[in-house]
Structures are given as C-alpha cells and as structure tokens.
C-alpha cells in the first residue's frame, strides 16, 4: 500500500505538470514525454514550457544523446571539445566531446561542429544508430537511405513526424529517444535495459523512473528548501502550491529533471511507548498507540539505544510521503493539537521512579479517533472520559491535556461536486470524521457528502483555516459508515413466560457467527445494521431490500432507481442455507438473482447498498 501511495502521488503530480506544460496529449504521447523529461533528455525553459514545436540544433541533440547514455553522470570530466566554433566555455563543449569520442557524431572538414545548425532526421537517426552500436558496416545501401531504412526497421521512426531532409523538432526527439530506449541494440539487447531501466512490452517503466530519480526525503530545518533549481511545480500535502507554503521541519522530496518538489507537513506528537524489534536495531516505533515504520538511517539512530530518545519521552515524529518516520524531534520543538471522538478511556495506576524514590499516581489512558482517521492513545491525568465524547488533545512538553470540546454546529447543503458546505469551501486536505455516541468512527472525504443536506444536529464541530475554508469537520451519524453490517441468516426465538431469549445467526465479511441475546431485536432474515455500546451489541436495525437488475463497480440499478454501493460492500453467494463471500466481478452476470440491502435508516448521506446476496438462477 505504501508503494502504491508513493507512485500514485508522483504520477498524479507528473501528469498534472505535463498537461500544464503541453496541453492535451494522447496517453501514449504523455507517457513518452514524461519519461523523456524524467530522464533529463528534455527539459522546459525558465517558465517550464517545453516548446515541442521548436526545431533542435546539433548542440541540443548532442546533450540529449549524452542524457540517454551511460555517460550522463560523467560528462563533467570530459573537458572541452577541439572544434574552433566551440570555445572552452561553450555550454555544449563537453557534451560534444563525449559524442565525438564515442563516435556518435562528427564535425565538418573545416574544423567546425556548427552547434547552432538544425539537425535533420537522417543526421539524428545516424547518430542514434551509432549510439545503439550500428555502424556503417552493419547497414546495407547508401546514405541516407540505409540509415533511415535501419531506423525504421528498429522502430526508431514510430510516431516521428519529420521526413528525410526536414529538421527535427523537440516533439520528434521525444519520439526518437523514447523509441531508442525500447529498441534492440546491435547486441540484441533492449537498449534501455543496458542503462538499468525496466522495459516491458515496448514500454519503459515510468513509475520506477520517477521513484529512482526523485531525491529525498529531506527536512526543512530552517523553513527553507535546499534546491539547485527553480521548481516549476510545487505540491504541498498533495495539492498544487508554492514554496511560500513551506514551514520549519516540513519533509520534502524533489525531482530536478522534472523541476518538481513534493512537500509534506505530516507530524505526530505523543508518548514514545516502544520500538521494534529491538532497541539496538529498531525498524518501527509506537507513538500515541500507533506504530510507524522507520524510513531513514537518521531516525533509526535517533530511536536506537545510541540515540537520545527513550520510552516514555514526549516526541514529535516527522513523517514522509508514505507515512514513515523521517526524523524525530523533542516535543517542545513542535507542539501538537488533535481533535476527535473518544473511542475508549480507562483510569488506572501508573508507577514512576527515580534513584531516590518511587511514586504511584492515577493515569488515564484515552484512545481518540482523530479527524485524520487515526486512533491515537494519550496518557493524561484527570478523569476517564465517556465513549463518544468530542475532545481536543493538546500535547506539549509540560504534558498531555485532554479537554471536552463543546459542539460547534453548522447547517446547510454540501455542493453537488462536494467542494463546499454551508457557504464555506472545503480546504485542501480537509479532515472529516463521522462519529456516533458509542465510539464508532469513519474517516470520510468531501465527495462522500456531495449533495447532502445537513442539519445542526448532524454537525458536532468544525474549524476554519486562515482562508475561511473548512479544515476540520466532525459529524454525527451522517453516513451510516460507523455501524457494522451483517446478513442475518436465521432468527430463533427461545423466549418463555419466564425469560426472553433469542439466537441470531449472521454472516459478516464471509464469517458465520451466532449472537445469543436476552433481547428481541426487530429484525428477521436479511441485511441488518448492528450497533454496539460498551463493546456489546445494543441494537439491530433491519436494512431495506431491492431486487437488482444490474451491478457495476460503483452502483446498482433496480428498475429506474440507481443505488450507490458502499466502498466495503459485502457480496455473498447463497448456496441453499449457506453463504459464501465472493466479489462483484463473480456475480455480475445473467446467472444470478441479486438482492441488495441498503441502510434506509435516516442518515443524510446514507442509503448505500451494504450487502448484495447472489442466488444462482
């Protein structure tokens, strides 16, 4: 999952940047262009424009060749070329020297290289064939027919717009160099693989290139980034931003070839309660009851037996793009405040000791579902808190303080595109938590609320950022996602005149279980919502059913009515009296009768199909 998150973030950012620079491109063109950019073969001007229709000079083509070769990191050691029109301080001089020494290109009989002269299709193909190891002895025919024929046979000319005698454009070079990476060299090997790249089915693995060429993580110790280039695109917590957003101790990554920077302000402050598997070589650490992988050697040292942090210390973790620990700070350098709903709270005895005395005090251990969807464990003084209580937690060097939070209501409609609510836009990265009074919670996103009308009782708390946008929103049973959903396969009433007793057999996530209860719930066989209180089932509510005509990955049709599917919809295959867990792809055919069970229970953003039962026809 972590790798997926990294690559999806990078790919989304790269695609956004390329579209900004080049306009609308076909998918294949975008893939080629982004790959050539990442490899540093092609880059934009000072404004980030790629100028794909501009012609390419001989000097520019040489620099592209070096970037597409094994010499790209050694060009600085080659010194100046000896051509009279390429003085030592000419920017292309060392690149030309590499190309000439390797036999890719040559100068003219008058001792010039003519760096500013446009390069033609046949000249470019001749140079690339030599890069691939094909010299004149391996070609049949005269120049330039032999060179263009061989280039065509190798696939170098695929999608190239120029014809013989025409000068190459930057777009032509994108296609030429991408094709060269996927072509066979004279030894019969795919050229890109000789440079360490992965090429499969004629495509260069772009995501691997982005990851390999992205540098980081680094920490902005003073609130400034150390970069050797001016970025064209800056992403802050995944949203397009600017360098002015950087704060002290932010974690950042950059790709110089793409002139792109990714910055993350993701921190966790709490008590360090353990490291695993050992203090001598830790690979993960637990802070506020949540375990985080260690992602850097610096953090490994800080949390090891040689480092300065010990169990019981109040620390701040700086997290990277995958949620891994990049560095650790003393909490006094970075205090934190959390908002959320109490999942559990227990008061118990806690012992501490010094060299001269020992003390025992009452300590409260409180688990809070925070607005970012993470359940954190806090240790504090005072009284235990009721489950479901709305709280704010302040973590400072002087200690942890958990305070009940008064409701702050807001009512209105969420826009149909999920971008605003009650006259306020949702901030980038807004944290939305749906809760109930029994400690249930669900992290949701604005799109989940699109079009919903919320009353004052639906909103428990909200906060606004400096722009007046909603950055936190705590809801009360708005989506129905805080409940558990089961399929009741049988109900047996064992009640007598003396006592009430019933047995409920149900299927949840493919597992069959039985609940013996001294209560009678108003449910029969079919879908049901199971609601808990203090860890015990307090009630069960029947779901509504519909016979479904068709099912897609996001919705189902029943006549003319469309129902949205819950993201975690349970799909059950019925075989007589038994039920087996299956998937949507297995039952989306003509061979089954489909029944959908949805939560028609009064939630403003509910009425999602939670369970689908497929019965063979």
């Amino acid at each position: 999952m972590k790798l997926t998150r990294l690559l999806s973030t990078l790919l989304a950012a790269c695609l956004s940047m390329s579209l900004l620079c080049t306009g609308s491109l076909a998918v294949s063109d975008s893939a080629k262009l982004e790959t050539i950019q990442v490899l540093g073969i092609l880059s934009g001007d000072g404004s980030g424009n790629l100028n794909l229709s501009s012609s390419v000079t001989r000097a520019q083509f040489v620099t592209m060749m070096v970037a597409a070769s094994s010499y790209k990191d050694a060009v600085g050691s080659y010194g100046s070329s000896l051509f009279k029109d390429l003085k030592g301080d000419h920017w292309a001089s060392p690149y030309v020297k590499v190309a000439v020494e390797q036999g890719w290109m040559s100068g003219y009989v008058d001792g010039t290289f003519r760096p500013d002269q446009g390069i033609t299709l046949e000249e470019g193909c001749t140079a690339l064939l030599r890069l691939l190891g094909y010299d004149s002895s391996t070609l049949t025919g005269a120049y330039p027919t032999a060179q263009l024929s061989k280039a065509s046979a190798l696939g170098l000319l695929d999608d190239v717009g120029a014809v013989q005698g025409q000068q190459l454009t930057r777009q032509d070079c994108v296609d030429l160099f991408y094709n060269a990476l996927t072509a066979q060299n004279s030894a019969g090997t795919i050229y890109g693989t000789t440079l360490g790249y992965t090429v499969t089915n004629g495509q260069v693995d772009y995501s691997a290139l982005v990851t390999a060429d992205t540098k980081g993580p680094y920490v902005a110790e003073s609130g400034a980034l150390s970069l050797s280039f001016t970025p064209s695109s800056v992403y802050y917590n995944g949203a397009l931003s600017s360098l002015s957003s950087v704060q002290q101790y932010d974690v950042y990554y950059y790709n110089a070839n793409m002139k792109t920077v990714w910055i993350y302000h993701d921190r966790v402050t709490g008590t360090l309660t353990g490291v695993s598997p050992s203090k001598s070589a830790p690979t993960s650490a637990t802070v506020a009851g949540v375990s985080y992988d260690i992602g850097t050697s610096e953090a490994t040292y800080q949390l090891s037996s040689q480092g300065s942090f010990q169990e019981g210390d109040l620390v701040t973790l700086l997290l990277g793009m995958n949620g891994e620990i990049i560095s650790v700070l003393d909490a006094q350098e970075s205090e934190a405040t959390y908002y959320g709903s109490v999942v559990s709270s227990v008061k118990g005895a806690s012992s501490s000791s010094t060299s001269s005395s020992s003390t025992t005090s009452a300590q409260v251990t409180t688990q809070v579902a925070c607005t970012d969807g993470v359940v954190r464990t806090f240790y504090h003084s005072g009284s235990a808190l009721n489950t479901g209580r709305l709280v704010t937690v302040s973590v400072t060097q002087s200690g942890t303080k958990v305070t009940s939070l008064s409701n702050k209501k807001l009512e209105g409609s969420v826009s149909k595109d999920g971008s605003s609510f009650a006259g306020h836009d949702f901030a980038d990265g807004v944290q939305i938590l749906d809760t109930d009074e029994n400690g249930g919670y669900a992290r949701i996103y604005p799109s989940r609320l699109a079009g919903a009308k919320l009353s004052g009782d639906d909103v428990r708390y909200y906060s606004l950022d400096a722009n007046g946008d909603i950055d936190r929103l705590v809801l009360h049973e708005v989506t129905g996602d805080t409940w558990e959903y089961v399929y009741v396969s049988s109900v047996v009433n064992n009640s007598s005149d003396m006592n009430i007793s019933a047995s409920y057999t149900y299927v949840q996530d493919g597992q069959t279980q039985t609940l013996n209860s001294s209560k009678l719930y108003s449910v029969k066989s079919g879908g049901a919502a199971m609601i808990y209180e203090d860890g015990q089932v307090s009630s069960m509510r029947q779901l509504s059913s519909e016979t479904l005509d068709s099912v897609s990955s996001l919705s189902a049709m029943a006549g003319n009515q469309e129902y949205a599917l819950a993201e975690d919809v349970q799909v059950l295959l019925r075989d007589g009296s038994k039920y087996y867990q299956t998937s949507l792809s297995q039952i989306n055919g003509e061979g089954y009768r489909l029944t959908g069970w949805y939560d028609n229970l009064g939630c403003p953003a509910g009425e999602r199909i939670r369970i689908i039962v497929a019965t063979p026809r």
Side-chain angles (χ1 to χ4, degrees):
M1 181 175 70
K2 290 183 175 181
L3 179 59
T4 300
R5 177 184 169 189
L6 166 65
L7 296 183
S8 64
T9 300
L10 293 175
L11 290 173
C14 298
L15 181 57
S16 297
M17 186 183 74
S18 66
L19 292 179
L20 286 172
C21 295
T22 65
S24 178
L25 295 173
V27 173
S28 59
D29 287 343
S30 295
K32 290 181 179 181
L33 177 59
E34 291 162 4
T35 299
I36 297 305
Q37 282 184 270
V38 169
L39 293 177
I41 298 172
L42 186 77
S43 59
D45 59 22
S47 301
N49 298 315
L50 294 173
N51 304 311
L52 295 179
S53 61
S54 299
S55 59
V56 175
T57 66
R58 285 167 54 84
Q60 291 169 342
F61 195 83
V62 163
T63 62
M64 294 180 189
M65 291 191 72
V66 173
S69 74
S70 58
Y71 296 89
K72 65 177 183 177
D73 296 322
V75 66
S77 63
Y78 271 74
S80 303
S81 70
L82 300 178
F83 295 101
K84 61 184 181 181
D85 56 352
L86 277 174
K87 296 182 179 180
D89 59 352
H90 193 286
W91 63 269
S93 186
Y95 297 92
V96 171
K97 187 172 184 181
V98 172
V100 171
E101 288 190 4
Q102 298 307 314
W104 305 335
M105 292 183 71
S106 59
Y108 293 88
V109 294
D110 62 357
T112 64
F113 185 78
R114 304 177 191 176
D116 299 325
Q117 178 176 296
I119 189 167
T120 63
L121 174 66
E122 52 268 37
E123 291 172 335
C125 287
T126 300
L128 285 179
L129 287 174
R130 291 171 178 169
L131 177 68
L132 296 176
Y134 299 100
D135 56 27
S136 57
S137 66
T138 64
L139 306 179
T140 302
Y143 177 87
T145 302
Q147 284 74 13
L148 293 178
S149 177
K150 185 64 174 180
S152 179
L154 292 173
L156 294 183
L157 299 183
D158 291 354
D159 298 321
V160 176
V163 297
Q164 181 179 336
Q166 288 185 344
Q167 291 186 2
L168 294 173
T169 65
R170 289 165 65 82
Q171 179 62 63
D172 290 330
C173 289
V174 170
D175 295 316
L176 273 174
F177 280 95
Y178 188 91
N179 295 339
L181 293 171
T182 62
Q184 284 190 349
N185 63 13
S186 60
T189 303
I190 299 299
Y191 177 66
T193 63
T194 68
L195 302 177
Y197 311 140
T198 301
V199 181
T200 306
N201 297 324
Q203 294 186 339
V204 181
D205 188 339
Y206 173 65
S207 60
L209 288 179
V210 174
T211 303
D213 280 8
T214 296
K215 309 301 181 184
Y218 305 101
V219 177
E221 300 281 356
S222 60
L225 309 188
S226 177
L227 302 172
S228 59
F229 62 95
T230 300
S232 299
S233 299
V234 176
Y235 293 87
Y236 196 87
N237 289 335
L240 194 62
S241 185
S242 66
L243 290 179
S244 62
S245 301
V246 179
Q247 299 181 40
Q248 187 178 24
Y249 300 127
D250 280 349
V251 173
Y252 67 98
Y253 306 75
Y254 67 83
N255 189 306
N257 290 329
M258 299 176 61
K259 295 186 177 180
T260 301
V261 179
W262 296 269
I263 307 168
Y264 295 88
H265 183 91
D266 192 359
R267 307 174 185 186
V268 173
T269 298
T271 304
L272 174 65
T273 56
V275 295
S276 295
S278 68
K279 190 68 174 174
S280 59
T283 59
S284 66
T286 300
V287 171
V290 181
S291 180
Y292 300 89
D293 290 339
I294 299 174
T296 63
S297 57
E298 176 189 358
T300 298
Y301 176 79
Q302 290 176 308
L303 294 166
S304 72
S305 53
Q306 287 78 38
S308 58
F309 296 103
Q310 305 297 324
E311 291 185 16
D313 287 349
L314 202 58
V315 300
T316 293
L317 305 181
L318 305 182
L319 305 181
M321 64 167 62
N322 294 314
E324 76 279 28
I325 303 172
I326 304 304
S327 186
V328 187
L329 304 176
D330 192 299
Q332 66 182 350
E333 298 181 65
S334 178
E335 300 178 350
T337 302
Y338 300 96
Y339 297 80
S341 178
V342 174
V343 175
S344 68
S345 187
V346 179
K347 189 170 186 175
S350 174
S351 299
S352 62
S353 62
T354 65
S355 59
S356 59
S357 64
S358 63
T359 60
T360 300
S361 60
Q363 178 177 260
V364 181
T365 302
T366 299
Q367 287 190 312
V368 178
C370 301
T371 50
D372 61 359
V374 177
V375 177
R376 295 183 172 88
T377 303
F378 300 100
Y379 306 95
H380 59 99
S381 59
S383 303
L385 300 162
N386 293 334
T387 298
R389 177 75 63 85
L390 188 64
V391 296
T392 178
V393 184
S394 299
V395 183
T396 66
Q397 186 63 24
S398 59
T400 299
K401 184 178 182 180
V402 181
T403 307
S404 294
L405 193 63
S406 299
N407 286 351
K408 187 177 179 181
K409 298 179 179 294
L410 186 66
E411 61 182 25
S413 296
V414 179
S415 62
K416 292 183 179 180
D417 63 358
S419 64
S420 62
F421 167 51
H424 298 278
D425 289 338
F426 285 122
D428 292 334
V430 60
Q431 298 179 355
I432 307 176
L433 194 72
D434 197 11
T435 65
D436 60 37
E437 57 272 4
N438 302 311
Y441 69 94
R443 169 75 191 275
I444 61 175
Y445 296 87
S447 59
R448 181 70 172 82
L449 303 174
K453 184 177 182 179
L454 306 183
S455 69
D457 291 337
D458 294 324
V459 177
R460 301 181 67 188
Y461 183 82
Y462 72 96
S463 63
L464 305 178
D465 63 14
N467 297 320
D469 299 334
I470 298 174
D471 59 1
R472 292 187 188 89
L473 184 64
V474 182
L475 306 173
H476 178 253
E477 295 184 355
V478 164
T479 62
D481 293 355
T482 65
W483 302 329
E484 294 191 16
Y485 294 94
V486 302
Y487 185 83
V488 180
S489 57
S490 70
V491 178
V492 179
N493 189 343
N494 300 314
S495 300
S496 65
D497 294 338
M498 301 298 294
N499 67 316
I500 296 175
S501 176
S503 178
Y504 300 86
T505 301
Y506 61 91
V507 182
Q508 184 178 23
D509 296 325
Q511 301 297 315
T512 299
Q513 303 179 56
T514 299
L515 171 67
N516 296 311
S517 175
S518 58
K519 297 180 181 180
L520 291 179
Y521 302 115
S522 299
V523 296
K524 54 185 178 181
S525 296
M530 188 174 283
I531 301 171
Y532 286 78
E533 184 176 352
D534 297 329
Q536 303 295 321
V537 177
S538 62
S539 65
M540 295 176 67
R541 301 176 66 183
Q542 193 80 58
L543 302 184
S544 299
S545 66
E546 283 283 4
T547 299
L548 305 180
D549 300 319
S550 63
V551 178
S552 69
S553 59
L554 297 176
S555 63
M557 295 298 298
N560 295 324
Q561 180 68 45
E562 183 177 17
Y563 293 89
L565 303 186
E567 291 185 3
D568 58 351
V569 61
Q570 301 175 53
V571 184
L572 301 176
L573 176 63
R574 181 174 182 174
D575 182 9
S577 61
K578 295 184 178 180
Y579 296 84
Y580 303 93
Q581 189 172 24
T582 184
S583 63
L584 286 173
S585 62
Q586 299 301 310
I587 54 91
N588 194 17
E590 300 296 328
Y592 298 93
R593 293 190 301 274
L594 305 178
T595 303
W597 295 86
Y598 66 96
D599 57 309
N600 188 21
L601 302 174
C603 297
E607 296 197 3
R608 298 282 172 122
I609 291 181
R610 306 289 177 170
I611 300 170
I612 296 176
V613 177
T615 305
R617 293 186 184 277

